[in-house]
Amino acid sequence: MLAIAIIPTLNPSEKILEVVNGLITHGFKLIIIVNDGSKPEKQYIFDKLNQYQEVEIVTHNINKGKGAALRTAFQYVLSNHPSFDGVVTLDDDGQHKIEDVIACAEALKENKNSLIMGCRNFKAKETPFKNRLGNKITVFVFGLAYGVRISDTQTGLRAIPTQHLSIYLNVPGDRFEYESNMLVEAKNNSINFVEVPIQTIYLEKNKASHFNPIVDSWRIYKQIFTFFFSSVAAFVVDITLFGVLSKTLQIESTLRLVFFATIGARVVSSLFNFLMNRYVVFKRKNSLGKAIVRYYTLAVFQALVSFGLVSLCTIFMSKELLVVWKVIVDLGLFIISYRIQNRWVFQKKAAAKMTKKSTIMTVVFDGLKLFGVTLLLILVLFFGSTTIVSYGPSSAARDLFVLTVMETSAAKFLARIYFSNEQIKTIIKLNSAHDTGEVSNGDDIVIPKDSDTFDIKAITVENITGATFIGKLMIVNDPSRLFVATLPEFSQNGRGKLLSTLVSENNAIAGINGGAFSDIAGVGKGGMPLGVVIQNGKIRVNLASEYSTLIGFDFNNRLVVGKMTAQEAIAKGMKEAVSFGPALIINGNRVPITGSGGGLNPRTAIGQRADGAVLLLVIAGRQATSLGASYADIADIMVEHGAVNAANLDGGGSTLLIYNGEMMNPVALVNGPREIPTAFLVRK
């Protein structure tokens, strides 16, 4: 028999002696055993093996892994026994029957240019569940990613023609992943696979296996994982840009619109994908120029196919679902595309062995690469989802997105990516509280005296919940305890103070954030209020601002809300006030709100009941458990709790309620509460 048996082994049992005896008995003239760094106490087994004339032993001083052992054996054969027709690799524990080994060796005679695979029957009852499941997953992934159709991808029983051994010398992977990578390399070199059915044997449920389910599975799938990360990331980039271009290009013809949107999106996404696949996924060092030419040849062809198919969809179906048709078409095309990239675009260059980095450095670099790919994927998924929301079929979802980000100083740019300033203004106008021009007069407010039925000193806190939010509502029975706290001096470049600091410095028991302040790009220092600030009946700030609604208390401790100038407020007897808005309830009448007024955001609001009790409301937002509330949500809460006047205060990242030294709501910002210039506090 002109086939060599190769047995990689680590700390073998005496079962290997039975395997070798069986091979020799059935005609094998040469058996190469690779001692992959076995323990010294196993040396006696190798001494016995060395007594066989047919056995040659190659030794690794340290354990390098099964993949490294197979490469060593292949190189040994090419250097010392090139006249043999081929080799048969098998395990050392008797799980491969000698007759199956012979069947694979015999298959080489009729399939001299193929990779012979001894395939187990995973439907057999004796197959452990983890082996059955692992094989199904690997078969599916390899079939999808590489077009490799093999029923047993992890079999160690393989027959390989000698003429193909050099192909596998540069296959990456030192451990169990090497055998998976061999299949990909065979596919890339157009080597056929021939399956030979073999018996399914698991000795003691495969306890002797050196396979680590977590570590070795990661090694096997690492390239495939990064391959699909790159694929999905490029796909999302392409879809995102296609969605943006299809909505922004002023082209009436559907066919021309699809064409130019496809080309524009593909130029960017293809460059992204080319770089990712070359340097992160395949790590190929073939000619850059040749790879670029091949890649863009494929990209142009794929773009034309995508254009044709999407155009057909839009001709016979709805143009409004243009992005949906694009998604469906490209889901099929990108799998085919990446198979071609793996086998042709990034065709592996035969080169000298690369210098192996230390294990620690390899882990670090792999981790950084994976982190980078994951971060990039998160970004493209985020922008992909916002594109779908912005240009999707739901106008309500679009409006909610725009309104939400436009109330977030640092995120306003997101709306401006997709919409013009005029479009944004229109959306805000159609989803807002309507200015009635009315100002609360306080006629409905009658503050009772302290009695057995009304405790004027009482302060209570309630939990508030809604479909998209959680929050806290503080009820202060005595409105005379409310006042506006400010900074000694205001400055555009100066810093504000934390609400906790304002509460402490003013000897207060509670407080919420107050009015608007300068916050350019969401990085304002909180040292400059916007609009009007009145304190102790005196005007502290009076600046022209979009925030023209004043919110505060007069000298009769009645909450006054409405659009007015600083002088008009003083004339109405306002003692304390800040600017923000909109007003939500005026003189017992709810201010009309249309659409998704204000979007979903962290909210702060203040209201007053007919008995004078002040309602201080905070709503958490931008969190998994509380996305935030709209103006309508806040108005609903105020109405339910009897408010006759109420208004929205500055919210977002500054939304906070402090009571008895504790923060009553989770802050929306990772780095904690913001510095602010004004606050409504409650005296002790």
Side-chain angles (χ1 to χ4, degrees), residues 11-55:
N11 301 320
S13 68
E14 293 190 1
K15 194 73 178 178
I16 193 173
L17 300 174
E18 297 179 18
V19 173
V20 170
N21 276 320
L23 292 172
I24 294 173
T25 301
H26 287 81
F28 277 85
K29 302 300 182 183
L30 179 59
I31 303 168
I32 296 175
I33 296 176
V34 182
N35 175 7
D36 188 29
S38 298
K39 297 177 182 178
E41 51 264 36
K42 295 293 183 178
Q43 184 58 44
Y44 79 96
I45 294 179
F46 292 102
D47 291 340
K48 290 182 179 181
L49 291 170
N50 211 23
Q51 294 175 10
Y52 292 103
Q53 183 179 354
E54 296 85 355
V55 172

Side-chain angles (χ1 to χ4, degrees), residues 578-650:
V578 296
S579 293
F580 205 71
L584 301 174
I585 304 171
I586 297 179
N587 297 327
N589 299 313
R590 183 167 170 161
V591 175
I593 299 173
T594 57
S596 305
L600 298 180
N601 274 299
R603 298 286 178 194
T604 307
I606 188 169
Q608 189 173 39
R609 298 190 316 216
D611 62 1
V614 178
L615 309 176
L616 304 179
L617 175 67
V618 291
I619 297 295
R622 302 172 193 165
Q623 301 171 32
T625 56
S626 183
L627 299 177
S630 66
Y631 295 153
D633 293 327
I634 300 301
D636 288 342
I637 295 170
M638 287 295 181
V639 169
E640 290 171 5
H641 287 80
V644 294
N645 294 303
N648 182 57
L649 293 173
D650 194 7

